[in-house]
Amino acid sequence: MSGGAGPGGAWHKGVGFGGAACGDRGVMGTGLWGAGLWGAGHRGAGCGGAKHTGAGFGDAGHKQCKVLGCQAQVQDFVVRDTRGSPLTPPGRPTDAAMEEDPSCCQDAAKLPAGEGLGTEVQLDDVVGTHPDYNEEEEEQKYFRRKRLGVVKNVLAASLAATLTYGVYLGLLQMQLILHYDETYREVKYSNMELEDIDRKVLMGINVTPVAALLYTPVLLRFFGTKWTMFLAVGIYALFVSSNYWERYFTLVPSAVAIGVAIVPLWASMGHYVTRMAQKYYEYANYKEEHVQEQRQAPRGACSTYVVVFQTIFYACFHLSFVCAQMPMLFFLNNYLYQLNHTLYGVKHCGTLSHGTLPGFNKTVLHSLPRSVNLIIVESVLMAAAFLAMLVVLLLCGSAYRPTEEIDLRSIGWGNIFQLPFKHMRDYRLRHLLPFFIYSGFEVLFVCTGFSLNYGVCALGLEKLAFLLMAYGFSASACSSLALCALRLRRQCPLLAGALVHAAILVTLFCWAPEPRHVVQAPLLYSIAVLWGTGSALNKTGISILLGMLYEDKERQDFVFTIYHWWQALAIFTVYLWSGLPMKAKLSIMLLALGLAAGSYLWMERKLAQRVAYRLPRIPRPRHKMKGYRYLEDDDSDETASEGEGASHHEDDDDDDHRHPAEANSRDELPKDEGERMG
């Protein structure tokens, strides 16, 4: 029915007995059958009840609207059917209406004639703001939910990183131990040369990240931060699935894929957590003018949230070293020989050793694990990797608004490719490069050099899991020490971690534990705990420092890419020096640590002296001036042809006037850098 409503209810103009589903004004007597039997001259009025404003008889909660409906009937004219016979005399309601509610027209008669104007007031009561509505309170609730969503994003990203690396390290450690055993290789894979496959797997994992600087920024800008995380976690899950069928063409390609994904994963994680800190600041200070206008926050405004969120992330992530020992603790330790067998040929440990634990027995398994048990363990790990993918997919929100992601991509792929190299001209990044390198040295050294040449050499392979768990628990707990940056100077966490590691390196340089002497266990566990403390301060401190120095959201992905790329290069270097004497390894690490601390202090001194740093100018996004997103208030009603010339002139003027200003403002040293030092 169009234009009028019959007795059965209407969906368009006019309302009849059956009630209306729309709020349009009824037109008396229009349409094919007229506006019901007595069409009302108000919004949604009638005798049958309505689903919208101004209900009729059928609406139990609106008695006054029933009165209005009958009043309209009294004032209406006679409506004739198609045969022309009168249905009801003028000024008199229908019999059906009287039977349905006899008091209807009595109430209508009692209303004064001038009270029809009250319908407008009544409409405002229904459509207008609820009297108990508090706009400020509702706004606070909305932004409180937004802040809780940001915290949920950080916790989800931390959980995903913990599961991903726990699965990856645990599976890699278990497979390397199994493949090291001669009996296992001969019985299960006699003609496959597993040792050669393992060497190529490690090479693929450690060598491939060398090229990551070329493609990581492009991935981050093309897929976005969240989807880069999801893609990288999915590649780690692919590596787990390839171990169901151990062949050259499954293990080696998946290891190369892991190498490709390492830098994008960590760059996206670091960028994501820092961006969440900035969003939390925006939601906590939503009344500020620069937040409402979507301008950059004052320098240092987000530093508190950066410190807290990076601390939460690394406190969770370092638990991955604990999770990685679960396969060995609950499965593989049941098949390992005791230390008297595995360490029978070992003559020197610690600083006197060369390479990776020379003299270690080639048979470490007293019985071979059944294939079914291996499949069960790998299935549990695969389930954990798949859970990490779901956590990123379902629980991690986007780091940027869609329009911001469009702007980040619209600067051009050539510029995106070049900007990481151009950012290295900033002396702050150049002074931090030694710390990036040492960060890669120390994390791989504790997993290989210290744990094998010191821990396993003295306590046996069956204690390896407990040694790394002590390191993981310590690093997780001591990540909270980075919160001291909220009260102390920002260089305190980094320098404290460097001091702890320097003391441990000197101790390791001078100490050679005796093979098969378990009485040295307390000292080894203490060193693992202290090393975890230094690692926590190192990793958390660098990420916090980068978040403080580079608050521009357009630069963070480039900066974190550079950081983790240099870290990957350092891990590759540790992989290459595996055959060196232990004293040479410790000397290189001690030298790198001293250089890192000195270079960092020099950077802070330059900032205190307000030495200007050089940042590359990021080009402004180039958009086609079409669509609501890019229309200005002044020309929002212009056509493309009318506004085309003006828009081109405005763009040229903006390029001439804004770009130099942006470049100068970005090259200026912030005033509070010196205040931070004092």
Side-chain angles (χ1 to χ4, degrees):
M1 246 178 229
S2 175
W11 288 95
H12 212 55
K13 293 186 178 180
V15 184
F17 280 179
C22 187
D24 293 339
R25 183 175 297 276
V27 181
M28 296 183 295
T30 62
L32 183 61
W33 289 97
L37 287 183
W38 305 122
H42 198 61
R43 291 179 182 241
C47 293
K51 286 181 67 178
H52 210 55
T53 57
F57 278 143
D59 195 341
H62 296 277
K63 183 176 179 182
Q64 292 295 330
C65 294
K66 296 194 296 182
V67 175
L68 292 174
C70 292
Q71 185 181 13
Q73 294 173 5
V74 173
Q75 296 174 356
D76 207 349
F77 55 84
V78 64
V79 179
R80 300 179 180 272
D81 61 3
T82 55
R83 293 170 295 181
S85 59
L87 299 178
T88 309
R92 186 175 176 182
T94 62
D95 294 337
M98 292 289 291
E99 290 175 2
E100 186 176 357
D101 192 354
S103 63
C104 146
C105 294
Q106 295 177 4
D107 294 340
K110 294 178 183 178
L111 288 173
E115 204 163 307
L117 298 175
T119 58
E120 296 294 337
V121 179
Q122 197 171 33
L123 180 63
D124 291 339
D125 292 342
V126 175
V127 180
T129 305
H130 194 274
D132 295 334
Y133 177 77
N134 189 331
E135 183 178 357
E136 184 176 356
E137 182 181 354
E138 293 299 325
E139 194 177 40
Q140 291 176 355
K141 290 180 181 178
Y142 171 77
F143 283 102
R144 187 184 304 121
R145 290 194 298 269
K146 286 290 188 180
R147 292 195 296 272
L148 290 176
V150 170
V151 174
K152 179 262 298 178
N153 292 340
V154 174
L155 294 176
S158 306
L159 176 61
T162 303
L163 290 174
T164 301
Y165 250 68
V167 168
Y168 161 66
L169 294 176
L171 179 62
L172 187 64
Q173 176 180 305
M174 184 180 73
Q175 294 290 32
L176 289 177
I177 292 174
L178 289 174
H179 295 174
Y180 178 82
D181 186 81
E182 266 185 348
T183 308
Y184 183 87
R185 293 199 309 267
E186 291 297 328
V187 171
K188 293 213 169 189
Y189 306 98
S190 58
N191 58 348
M192 275 188 56
E193 298 182 356
L194 276 181
E195 279 187 310
D196 180 60
I197 292 177
D198 286 345
R199 282 193 295 270
K200 291 180 178 177
V201 164
L202 293 176
M203 185 180 297
I205 293 173
N206 292 288
V207 175
T208 313
V210 173
L213 192 62
L214 303 178
Y215 58 81
T216 300
V218 177
L219 286 179
L220 284 169
R221 293 291 173 108
F222 182 78
F223 289 107
T225 307
K226 173 188 172 177
W227 294 108
T228 303
M229 290 167 50
F230 179 73
L231 177 65
V233 172
I235 291 176
Y236 276 82
L238 174 67
F239 175 76
V240 178
S241 66
S242 67
N243 282 268
Y244 279 108
W245 197 37
E246 296 174 321
R247 294 294 185 271
Y248 181 89
F249 52 83
T250 59
L251 295 177
V252 176
S254 63
V256 172
I258 284 283
V260 170
I262 285 177
V263 175
L265 174 66
W266 282 105
S268 59
M269 287 283 186
H271 180 206
Y272 188 81
V273 175
T274 305
R275 181 65 190 135
M276 287 300 108
Q278 293 176 337
K279 292 186 76 172
Y280 193 93
Y281 168 80
E282 293 172 2
Y283 295 145
N285 300 272
Y286 59 91
K287 293 184 178 180
E288 298 291 336
E289 183 178 356
H290 62 272
V291 175
Q292 294 178 354
E293 296 179 0
Q294 296 183 11
R295 289 187 283 109
Q296 188 169 339
R299 188 159 189 85
C302 307
S303 298
T304 300
Y305 306 111
V306 170
V307 172
V308 174
F309 284 3
Q310 292 288 356
T311 299
I312 292 173
F313 175 78
Y314 279 101
C316 294
F317 165 72
H318 282 116
L319 290 176
S320 63
F321 291 93
V322 179
C323 298
Q325 305 312 311
M326 296 300 108
M328 191 168 180
L329 195 63
F330 294 106
F331 173 70
L332 199 57
N333 274 0
N334 300 325
Y335 301 94
L336 293 178
Y337 275 115
Q338 296 298 316
L339 74 161
N340 290 328
H341 174 82
T342 55
L343 299 175
Y344 179 77
V346 176
K347 304 300 181 183
H348 301 288
C349 293
T351 188
L352 301 177
S353 61
H354 291 69
T356 304
L357 201 58
F360 197 67
N361 204 318
K362 292 292 184 180
T363 56
V364 296
L365 303 174
H366 59 74
S367 61
L368 301 183
R370 299 177 60 188
S371 297
V372 174
N373 295 336
L374 283 173
I375 291 174
I376 292 174
V377 173
E378 290 170 357
S379 298
V380 172
L381 296 176
M382 185 66 210
F386 188 68
L387 177 61
M389 292 179 63
L390 290 180
V391 167
V392 174
L393 179 64
L394 301 178
L395 297 183
C396 290
S398 178
Y400 294 98
R401 291 184 290 270
T403 52
E404 290 178 324
E405 291 187 346
I406 293 173
D407 290 344
L408 291 175
R409 285 195 295 266
S410 298
I411 66 173
W413 299 111
N415 290 319
I416 294 173
F417 178 81
Q418 297 173 17
L419 280 170
F421 301 95
K422 291 182 178 179
H423 273 82
M424 289 190 189
R425 295 182 295 188
D426 183 2
Y427 74 79
R428 297 175 298 175
L429 270 182
R430 291 201 306 270
H431 282 295
L432 287 174
L433 291 185
F435 248 125
F436 298 164
I437 294 173
Y438 177 75
S439 178
F441 283 170
E442 60 94 4
V443 68
L444 195 57
F445 174 78
V446 73
C447 294
T448 57
F450 170 74
S451 61
L452 295 178
N453 290 61
Y454 285 87
V456 172
C457 188
L459 307 178
L461 189 59
E462 63 272 18
K463 299 298 181 182
L464 175 63
F466 298 100
L467 201 65
L468 290 177
M469 286 176 67
Y471 166 79
F473 278 124
S474 171
S476 176
C478 294
S479 294
S480 60
L481 295 178
L483 294 175
C484 67
L486 297 175
R487 298 296 181 188
L488 305 177
R489 295 180 179 181
R490 68 186 179 196
Q491 55 264 43
C492 289
L494 267 180
L495 295 180
L499 184 62
V500 172
H501 275 185
I504 296 175
L505 287 172
V506 172
T507 302
L508 295 179
F509 191 87
C510 302
W511 180 47
E514 292 292 329
R516 302 178 297 278
H517 278 212
V518 294
V519 294
Q520 302 165 111
L523 181 57
L524 288 168
Y525 284 115
S526 300
I527 291 176
V529 168
L530 290 175
W531 193 276
T533 303
S535 292
L537 294 173
N538 177 280
K539 296 288 188 299
T540 313
I542 291 178
S543 295
I544 289 173
L545 185 63
L546 291 179
M548 289 180 174
L549 293 179
Y550 298 92
E551 296 180 334
D552 189 350
K553 62 187 178 185
E554 296 178 345
R555 304 184 186 277
Q556 290 169 359
D557 51 351
F558 300 125
V559 171
F560 279 98
T561 296
I562 293 171
Y563 165 36
H564 291 290
W565 182 68
W566 280 101
Q567 191 177 43
L569 287 184
I571 292 175
F572 173 58
T573 305
V574 175
Y575 165 74
L576 292 179
W577 79 21
S578 58
L580 291 178
M582 181 55 66
K583 285 187 177 180
K585 298 177 185 178
L586 294 172
S587 300
I588 294 173
M589 290 190 62
L590 199 55
L591 179 63
L593 181 58
L595 181 62
S599 179
Y600 172 63
L601 289 175
W602 189 10
M603 182 204 77
E604 292 287 2
R605 175 179 166 80
K606 280 187 174 182
L607 291 177
Q609 294 175 347
R610 304 185 184 280
V611 178
Y613 47 83
R614 183 180 181 185
L615 281 176
R617 184 182 62 83
I618 296 180
R620 294 176 59 222
R622 292 290 183 178
H623 303 290
K624 294 181 180 179
M625 301 296 290
K626 295 179 181 179
Y628 75 94
R629 164 66 172 82
Y630 306 108
L631 291 177
E632 302 292 339
D633 294 337
D634 297 337
D635 58 359
S636 59
D637 56 347
E638 290 181 352
T639 62
S641 59
E642 292 173 349
E644 185 175 0
S647 63
H648 282 304
H649 288 300
E650 288 174 3
D651 283 349
D652 294 339
D653 293 342
D654 288 345
D655 290 343
D656 294 338
H657 296 292
R658 291 187 185 179
H659 282 186
E662 289 174 2
N664 293 334
S665 64
R666 289 175 180 175
D667 287 343
E668 290 178 1
L669 184 67
K671 295 181 179 180
D672 61 348
E673 293 289 355
E675 297 173 1
R676 261 181 213 287
M677 291 298 297

